[in-house]
Amino acid sequence: VKTVEELSPGTSILRWDRDVAATSDAYEAVLERFARGEAQVLVGTQMVAKGLHIPSVTLVGAILADIGLHLPDFRAGERVFQLLCQMAGRAGRGEKQGTAIIQTYRPDHYAVALAAQQDYPAFYEQEVAFRNTQRLPPFSRLMWLLFTHTNAAKCQQEAEHLGRALRYQRQVWGLTEPDVLGPAPAYPNRVRGRYRWQIILRGPDPRLLLEKADMPPGWIVDVDPASL
């Protein structure tokens, strides 16, 4: 907001994020004020890109559009592409033509470049090729194993113990799959005072290995996780 005020003195601005719109009523109130024309600029988080239909909007912009690409999740590129396409779709919904500006340090990344072009088929082709090479869904299945503990050393120790046990069981049973990835700190590595470590199983059916292993208590198991 401060930057917009410096660039355009006298411009009326509204903020739209969880700090100023903590409830659904507050959320709607800010949006209604902007739709009525009480402000010229709406500055907010990713929620600004989600399905707004305000015909008077002719310019939208995304700051640090590539930041989501650095998350340790194989769907990061897909989500960045989706978000930028949604953001671009907020402008020009009325009679006037719209413009979208994307600020990024990775203009060469296909998720950003193809989102700017709104080229869905080309993104699909590149994303599918990447996942095929890395043996990621839909060409393989994942199983996410998560352990949390208030003691950092205990959490790491437990994760390393299970990692060794899973690799040993795979060898004993003569299995070539699934792959055992990790253990490694989860992201974020600490939530509400509890440290988090994870192991990822990757293969046609990761459950085969888990069924043969002696799974200790305290682990969270997520088959085909929506997010890592």
Side-chain angles (χ1 to χ4, degrees):
V1 173
K2 183 178 179 181
T3 301
V4 175
E5 291 174 340
E6 292 174 350
L7 293 174
S8 182
T11 299
S12 55
I13 305 169
L14 280 175
R15 276 181 56 192
W16 203 37
D17 52 43
R18 294 185 185 277
D19 291 335
V20 298
T23 66
S24 59
D25 290 341
Y27 177 96
E28 294 295 336
V30 173
L31 181 58
E32 289 175 2
R33 288 179 60 193
F34 182 68
R36 288 197 300 267
E38 294 183 19
Q40 296 168 286
V41 178
L42 180 65
V43 178
T45 53
Q46 295 182 10
M47 59 198 298
V48 173
K50 303 294 185 179
L52 300 183
H53 177 68
I54 302 177
S56 60
V57 173
T58 56
L59 175 65
V60 296
I63 307 300
L64 292 176
D66 52 86
I67 193 169
L69 295 174
H70 305 291
L71 295 176
D73 194 310
F74 74 92
R75 292 187 178 92
E78 177 185 354
R79 287 171 177 156
V80 167
F81 177 82
Q82 180 186 50
L83 181 64
L84 292 180
C85 286
Q86 288 177 329
M87 180 275 297
R90 299 314 102 206
R93 302 178 69 85
E95 296 181 357
K96 296 182 180 181
Q97 185 176 354
T99 302
I101 299 175
I102 298 175
Q103 185 270 318
T104 175
Y105 291 101
R106 293 293 309 277
D108 58 322
H109 194 284
Y110 65 91
V112 177
L114 296 176
Q117 300 171 24
Q118 301 282 284
D119 194 337
Y120 293 84
F123 173 79
Y124 172 81
E125 293 298 331
Q126 291 206 40
E127 183 70 8
V128 165
F130 164 73
R131 294 194 189 185
N132 189 20
T133 301
Q134 300 299 320
R135 297 177 57 237
L136 293 168
F139 303 98
S140 185
R141 298 184 67 185
L142 299 180
M143 179 178 286
W144 185 44
L145 312 179
L146 178 69
F147 187 79
T148 69
H149 201 281
T150 55
N151 183 282
K154 173 65 176 176
C155 190
Q156 180 177 350
Q157 180 183 10
E158 178 67 25
E160 291 175 346
H161 173 75
L162 181 60
R164 288 191 296 269
L166 291 173
R167 288 186 172 91
Y168 174 76
Q169 287 296 333
R170 191 179 70 163
Q171 182 179 6
V172 167
W173 288 92
L175 301 175
T176 58
E177 294 180 307
D179 297 321
V180 180
L181 308 179
Y187 179 83
N189 68 343
R190 190 182 184 190
V191 175
R192 297 176 182 175
R194 299 185 69 88
Y195 295 90
R196 295 154 36 95
W197 275 68
Q198 66 181 9
I199 296 174
I200 297 173
L201 305 182
R202 177 183 62 188
D205 190 356
R207 295 173 298 180
L208 294 176
L209 178 59
L210 210 59
E211 290 171 355
K212 300 179 183 298
D214 184 15
M215 192 71 179
W219 281 85
I220 298 172
V221 179
D222 190 352
V223 182
D224 300 323
S227 175
L228 297 176

